[in-house]
């Protein structure tokens, strides 16, 4: 009987220790999660095109740019959220950014502008894929609005990362006259993630692994700028 009592006490002690350890681990995890939940930085990710506006298409597969843009944007969103950024998407599915049954390009672009203005972000990242009549042209490139010194800073860092990680030949960040770069006062960059008119680059851009690689490259570049500012 004494043996049974001792055994019960031992089990109770062990169980109490286990519960205490679990509580400590859970508390630590909660603290880490809370710390990651919001670092005070808001990013708007704009997956270019959508709905009946598929953008350019792959030269071999006919894959729509809009689908690739969304996939890269979703990976990008995850990387930023995991790092504690507040992320707002201009679209979350294959549809357009605008509401309503009848698509209108101008209204869709205005809907994206409205998302940006409501979010008041620290940075807007617009994700696209490129196309060119000459099929040999390739490489990812970052664009910024003329006269936008902050946008230029981000674009140049992005381009450096693109050249180091994605491009076989270096490209330069450039001024781009795009609506999403000019429609608000918030710092903005547009990432052309590669050329769907280039068969080799299309083959990569249509794979999940490369889409994730592109997203991680964009995240790493942008995160490095915010980290340097901290």
């Amino acid at each position: 009987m004494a043996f049974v009592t001792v055994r019960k006490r031992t089990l109770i002690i062990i169980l109490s220790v286990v519960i205490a350890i679990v509580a400590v681990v859970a508390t630590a995890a909660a603290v880490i999660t809370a710390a990651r939940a919001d670092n005070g930085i808001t990013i708007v990710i704009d997956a270019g095109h959508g709905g009946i506006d598929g953008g350019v298409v792959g030269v071999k597969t006919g894959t729509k740019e809009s689908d690739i843009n969304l996939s890269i944007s979703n990976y990008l969103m995850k990387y930023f959220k995991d790092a504690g950024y507040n992320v707002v998407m201009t679209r979350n599915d294959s549809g357009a950014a605008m509401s309503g049954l009848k698509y209108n390009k101008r209204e869709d672009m205005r809907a994206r502008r409205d998302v940006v203005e409501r979010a008041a972000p620290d940075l807007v990242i617009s994700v696209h894929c490129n196309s060119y009549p000459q099929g040999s042209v390739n490489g990812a490139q970052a664009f910024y609005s003329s006269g936008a010194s902050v946008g230029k800073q981000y674009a140049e860092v992005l381009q450096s990362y693109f050249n180091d990680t994605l491009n076989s030949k270096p490209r330069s960040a450039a001024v781009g006259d795009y609506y999403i770069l000019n429609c608000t006062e918030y710092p903005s960059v547009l990432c052309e993630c590669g050329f769907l008119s280039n068969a080799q680059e299309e083959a990569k851009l249509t794979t999940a692994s490369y889409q994730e690689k592109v997203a991680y490259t964009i995240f790493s570049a942008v995160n490095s700028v915010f980290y340097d500012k901290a």
Side-chain angles (χ1 to χ4, degrees):
M1 192 69 167
F3 173 75
V4 173
T5 302
V6 172
R7 187 175 180 183
K8 284 184 178 179
R9 287 177 180 173
T10 302
L11 289 173
I12 290 171
I13 292 171
I14 292 173
L15 183 59
S16 299
V17 171
V18 170
I19 292 173
I21 292 172
V22 170
V24 170
V25 171
T27 301
V31 170
I32 293 171
T33 300
R36 290 179 176 174
D38 185 6
N39 62 10
I41 301 171
T42 297
I43 304 290
V44 168
I45 300 175
D46 171 52
H49 305 283
I52 64 171
D53 175 17
V56 301
V57 296
V59 65
K60 293 292 185 181
T61 67
T63 302
K64 293 189 297 183
E65 175 197 351
S66 57
D67 292 339
I68 297 174
N69 296 343
L70 182 62
S71 182
I72 292 172
S73 295
N74 283 333
Y75 285 122
L76 188 57
M77 174 181 64
K78 183 180 184 305
Y79 282 123
F80 276 117
K81 281 190 171 183
D82 286 349
Y85 290 79
N86 176 41
V87 179
V88 178
M89 303 281 282
T90 59
R91 67 181 179 100
N92 296 292
D93 55 35
S94 61
M98 62 171 286
S99 58
L101 298 177
K102 188 175 181 180
Y103 178 80
N104 180 285
K105 178 69 173 179
R106 181 174 296 179
E107 290 302 316
D108 185 67
M109 296 309 295
R110 287 175 177 170
R112 295 169 196 264
R113 177 202 62 194
D114 292 345
V115 170
V116 174
E117 290 184 339
R118 285 194 299 268
D122 297 273
L123 182 66
V124 179
I125 305 171
S126 190
V127 178
H128 287 260
C129 294
N130 219 332
S131 183
Y132 195 73
Q134 188 175 339
S136 60
V137 176
N138 64 87
Q141 190 170 15
F143 293 87
Y144 59 95
S145 180
S146 176
S149 58
V150 178
K152 181 180 180 181
Q153 177 190 9
Y154 282 103
E156 288 179 342
V157 174
L158 276 160
Q159 194 61 58
S160 175
Y161 275 69
F162 286 160
N163 290 341
D164 288 345
T165 308
L166 305 178
N167 293 347
S168 57
K169 294 181 180 179
R171 300 182 70 90
S172 298
V175 170
D177 187 20
Y178 298 102
Y179 179 85
I180 198 68
L181 297 179
N182 300 317
C183 65
T184 72
E185 62 183 12
Y186 300 102
S188 306
V189 290
L190 187 143
C191 298
E192 293 282 7
C193 300
F195 285 79
L196 289 176
S197 51
N198 179 282
Q200 291 74 31
E201 202 151 54
E202 176 202 12
K204 294 188 291 185
L205 284 164
T206 52
T207 65
S209 59
Y210 192 75
Q211 292 164 3
E212 187 169 9
K213 182 178 181 180
V214 171
Y216 186 71
T217 303
I218 296 171
F219 162 75
S220 298
V222 171
N223 189 56
S224 74
V225 178
F226 281 116
Y227 181 80
D228 287 343
K229 287 182 178 181

